[in-house]
């Protein structure tokens, strides 16, 4: 099939590349001329595991193309994916200015039947908004459907190629038939296509993300209680995760969730609910708890040093909001760094992928290091914000020699407490007992 993908962020670029991989002809559209030139030269503008290999393969096969000209892409395509940013507005709502702007352009440009697909997370009713904008500008037949993505950063290619489900929100039989053919290479008996109306599809995406955010936040609350009463959150997690009604995913406690989806989507659904006259209390609590959880290592750090922290040097492992991505949007590390800088603390930091993005925020306010060990030279303690695999099995003797004192505050519970005790560290994590030297 001939497909245009408008927007080349995480969703758009993965969508376009994976659709090309199964034989479709795909044109990716972006207004950023430098970015388009970069992609034409075979450079992937984001870090996402396994994406570069498919990206280069399909460029070479002449199935994946890039342009800044929307009209060119439309003339060659029947299916149009909208993978546009919907940033959070000041009131917490999703800003639809990019979606609406492209809808106006589509109304001016389409000359034959098109299927226009909202792929990104958009508020309930967006498909109708897009449809009405286009309808006011053309008499050409078209369908606007909701087809939300369920891609996890770090696993986006895998999630697209082997989806757990595909949601199609439309009442158009013609669009359903075409989309079933488009997605046939990705569908098995265990990976169903679920067809529903547009509003239900839009809400399904929000409901999925906000439920997972709620599950994470609940476990963080349990972990905080564990610290107070002396229970072990690892044991509690295993106990409740073995219940098939609950499941063991998204039960790992830490310093809160971040990224481009969960914070924005929870805020957007809260705003939509308020607008509809419904007080979504549990989601408002999720936002409040998560915001305080992001900074939960700071009180532990201050308490250990008896609030005498202004002259301290702190090392940080992990800057991305999660491993296997360079995305720092809403990353807990930003909240941690901001708090430390307010106290006048010297910071050294390392992340395998996210340092270029973090440098654009902090410049020379913190010292970025070439590897995890360089971070530790003469630091008073180490704070761990992201659970990158390379952090799991360090040389503890080398760490102790580099640090002023062997003190670690672990926001992702990556180390075993008994191992830390044997190696002589003061070790504080989330929801577990303190290990002392």
């Amino acid at each position: 099939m001939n497909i245009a993908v408008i927007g080349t962020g995480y969703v758009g670029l993965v969508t376009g590349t994976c659709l090309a991989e199964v034989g479709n002809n795909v044109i990716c559209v972006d207004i950023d001329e430098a970015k388009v030139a970069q992609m034409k030269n075979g450079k992937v503008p984001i870090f996402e595991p396994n994406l570069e290999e498919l990206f280069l393969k399909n460029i070479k096969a002449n199935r994946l193309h890039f342009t800044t000209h929307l009209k060119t892409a439309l003339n060659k395509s029947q299916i149009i994916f909208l993978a546009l940013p919907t940033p959070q507005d000041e009131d917490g709502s999703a800003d639809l200015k990019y979606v609406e702007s492209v809808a106006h352009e589509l109304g001016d440009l389409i000359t034959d039947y098109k299927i226009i697909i909202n792929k990104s997370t958009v508020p309930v009713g967006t498909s109708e908004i897009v449809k009405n904008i286009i309808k006011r500008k053309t008499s050409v037949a078209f369908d606007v459907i909701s087809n939300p993505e369920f891609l996890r950063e770090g696993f986006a290619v895998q999630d697209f190629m082997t989806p757990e489900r595909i949601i199609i929100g439309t009442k158009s039989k013609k669009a359903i038939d075409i989309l079933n053919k488009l997605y046939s290479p990705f569908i098995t008996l265990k990976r169903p296509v679920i067809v529903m109306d547009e509003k239900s599809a839009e809400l399904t995406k929000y409901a999925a993300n906000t439920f997972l955010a709620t599950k994470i936040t609940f476990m963080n609350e349990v972990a905080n209680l564990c610290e107070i009463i002396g229970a072990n959150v690892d044991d509690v997690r295993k106990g409740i995760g073995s219940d098939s009604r609950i499941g063991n995913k998204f039960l790992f406690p830490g310093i809160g969730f971040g990224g481009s989806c969960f914070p924005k989507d929870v805020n957007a659904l809260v705003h939509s609910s308020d607008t509809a006259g419904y007080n979504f209390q549990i989601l408002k609590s999720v936002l409040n708890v998560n915001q305080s959880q992001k900074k939960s290592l700071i009180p532990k750090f201050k308490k250990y040093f008896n609030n005498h922290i202004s002259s301290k040097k702190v090392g940080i492992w992990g800057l991305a909001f999660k491993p296997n991505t360079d995305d720092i949007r809403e990353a807990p590390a930003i909240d941690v760094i901001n708090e430390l800088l307010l106290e006048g603390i010297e910071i050294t930091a390392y992340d395998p992928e996210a340092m270029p993005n973090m440098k654009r925020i902090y410049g020379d306010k913190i010292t970025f290091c070439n590897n995890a060990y360089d971070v530790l030279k003469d630091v008073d303690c180490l704070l761990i914000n992201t659970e990158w695999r390379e952090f799991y099995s360090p040389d503890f003797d080398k760490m102790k020699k580099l640090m002023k004192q062997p003190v670690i505050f672990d926001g992702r519970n990556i180390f075993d407490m008994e191992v830390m005790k044997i190696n002589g560290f003061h070790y504080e994590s989330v929801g577990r007992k303190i290990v002392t030297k």
Side-chain angles (χ1 to χ4, degrees):
M1 294 186 180
N2 295 313
I3 299 164
V5 179
I6 305 175
T8 59
Y10 282 91
V11 174
L13 194 55
V14 170
T15 296
T17 301
C18 291
L19 288 173
E21 172 66 11
V22 295
N24 297 294
N25 188 58
V26 180
I27 305 177
C28 293
V29 185
D30 202 290
I31 60 173
D32 188 333
E33 293 184 1
K35 187 177 184 182
V36 169
Q38 180 183 1
M39 292 186 290
K40 284 182 175 181
N41 288 327
K43 296 181 180 179
V44 181
I46 58 173
F47 174 76
E48 182 63 39
N50 305 313
L51 178 60
E52 185 176 21
E53 178 185 354
L54 297 185
F55 177 86
L56 294 174
K57 175 184 174 183
N58 285 283
I59 291 175
K60 186 176 181 180
N62 202 35
R63 291 192 296 262
L64 185 60
H65 314 271
F66 307 96
T67 184
T68 58
H69 301 291
L70 180 57
K71 185 176 181 179
T72 300
L74 290 180
N75 289 342
K76 296 180 179 180
S77 307
Q78 181 185 35
I79 299 173
I80 316 298
F81 282 94
L82 305 185
L84 298 159
T86 54
Q88 183 175 308
D89 216 335
E90 292 181 2
D91 60 1
S93 64
D95 188 344
L96 294 177
K97 63 184 177 184
Y98 300 109
V99 173
E100 292 177 357
S101 175
V102 170
H104 282 286
E105 290 188 70
L106 292 175
D108 291 331
L109 294 173
I110 61 174
T111 57
D112 56 0
Y113 175 76
K114 307 290 185 187
I115 297 176
I116 298 156
I117 301 172
N118 278 323
K119 193 66 178 170
S120 295
T121 306
V122 291
V124 175
T126 300
S127 292
E128 189 173 352
I129 291 171
V130 171
K131 181 179 179 180
N132 289 336
I133 290 173
I134 298 172
K135 196 173 182 179
R136 287 196 297 267
K137 294 197 157 198
T138 184
S139 58
V140 174
F142 65 93
D143 282 307
V144 177
I145 77 169
S146 175
N147 175 220
E149 53 85 16
F150 296 95
L151 307 179
R152 298 167 295 164
E153 289 187 38
F155 302 91
V157 172
Q158 173 187 323
D159 289 344
F160 197 99
M161 299 301 289
T162 57
E164 289 187 340
R165 77 290 202 194
I166 294 170
I167 304 293
I168 296 176
T170 183
K171 302 180 185 72
S172 167
K173 186 179 185 305
K174 183 175 182 179
I176 292 169
D177 289 343
I178 293 173
L179 267 292
N180 274 327
K181 291 176 183 176
L182 176 68
Y183 283 123
S184 60
F186 309 98
I187 299 168
T188 68
L189 291 175
K190 294 182 179 180
R191 302 185 185 107
V193 172
I194 304 171
V195 180
M196 58 186 72
D197 64 87
E198 296 89 342
K199 288 185 178 180
S200 296
E202 290 164 342
L203 183 55
T204 295
K205 169 64 177 181
Y206 275 111
N209 276 4
T210 55
F211 180 82
L212 294 175
T214 301
K215 195 173 181 182
I216 293 169
T217 304
F218 173 80
M219 203 63 213
N220 285 337
E221 289 270 71
V222 170
N224 294 339
L225 179 61
C226 285
E227 292 181 7
I228 295 171
I229 65 176
N232 187 324
V233 75
D234 290 341
D235 294 331
V236 176
R237 173 179 58 79
K238 293 172 186 175
I240 67 174
S242 61
D243 188 326
S244 61
R245 297 167 301 174
I246 298 172
N248 57 17
K249 294 182 179 180
F250 287 83
L251 288 181
F252 290 85
I255 52 172
F257 58 79
S260 63
C261 293
F262 286 3
K264 177 173 69 72
D265 292 353
V266 176
N267 272 294
L269 189 52
V270 167
H271 181 272
S272 295
S273 300
D274 286 342
T275 301
Y278 180 71
N279 182 20
F280 214 139
Q281 298 176 64
I282 192 170
L283 292 189
K284 291 178 180 177
S285 296
V286 166
L287 290 171
N288 290 332
V289 171
N290 191 61
Q291 191 55 41
S292 61
Q293 193 72 17
K294 286 183 174 184
K295 302 176 183 179
S296 59
L297 291 184
I298 301 299
K300 297 175 182 180
F301 160 68
K302 289 183 176 180
K303 182 179 179 181
Y304 178 81
F305 289 106
N306 296 313
N307 285 320
H308 301 305
I309 59 173
S310 59
S311 62
K312 302 301 179 186
K313 181 180 180 182
V314 173
I316 290 178
W317 281 3
L319 300 171
F321 86 93
K322 61 182 284 189
N324 297 319
T325 182
D326 60 354
D327 196 343
I328 60 170
R329 286 173 289 183
E330 300 287 339
I334 292 176
D335 295 80
V336 170
I337 291 170
N338 288 343
E339 287 289 312
L340 295 177
L341 289 176
L342 285 174
E343 300 286 353
I345 292 169
E346 183 182 354
I347 300 171
T348 56
Y350 169 74
D351 186 285
E353 296 294 339
M355 288 194 294
N357 289 334
M358 207 59 108
K359 284 179 182 178
R360 285 193 278 270
I361 296 177
Y362 293 106
D364 59 0
K365 292 181 180 178
I366 66 178
T367 300
F368 295 95
C369 300
N370 294 323
N371 58 65
Y373 293 110
D374 286 352
V375 166
L376 304 177
K377 187 176 180 182
D378 296 326
V379 298
D380 294 282
C381 67
L382 171 67
L383 272 59
I384 302 175
N385 296 308
T386 316
E387 62 276 31
W388 285 94
R389 280 293 172 190
E390 68 176 78
F391 298 156
Y392 275 74
S393 300
D395 183 334
F396 290 115
D397 288 336
K398 183 176 181 178
M399 291 177 69
K400 288 172 69 176
K401 290 176 182 177
L402 289 168
M403 302 172 74
K404 282 184 183 177
Q405 45 192 319
V407 179
I408 298 176
F409 300 95
D410 182 359
R412 299 301 178 187
N413 290 6
I414 66 175
F415 296 138
D416 180 86
M417 293 188 294
E418 189 62 30
V419 170
M420 302 311 289
K421 185 174 183 179
I422 292 171
N423 282 281
F425 281 84
H426 177 91
Y427 178 68
E428 298 190 37
S429 48
V430 181
R432 304 190 294 185
K433 294 179 181 178
I434 297 173
V435 174
T436 55
K437 294 181 286 184

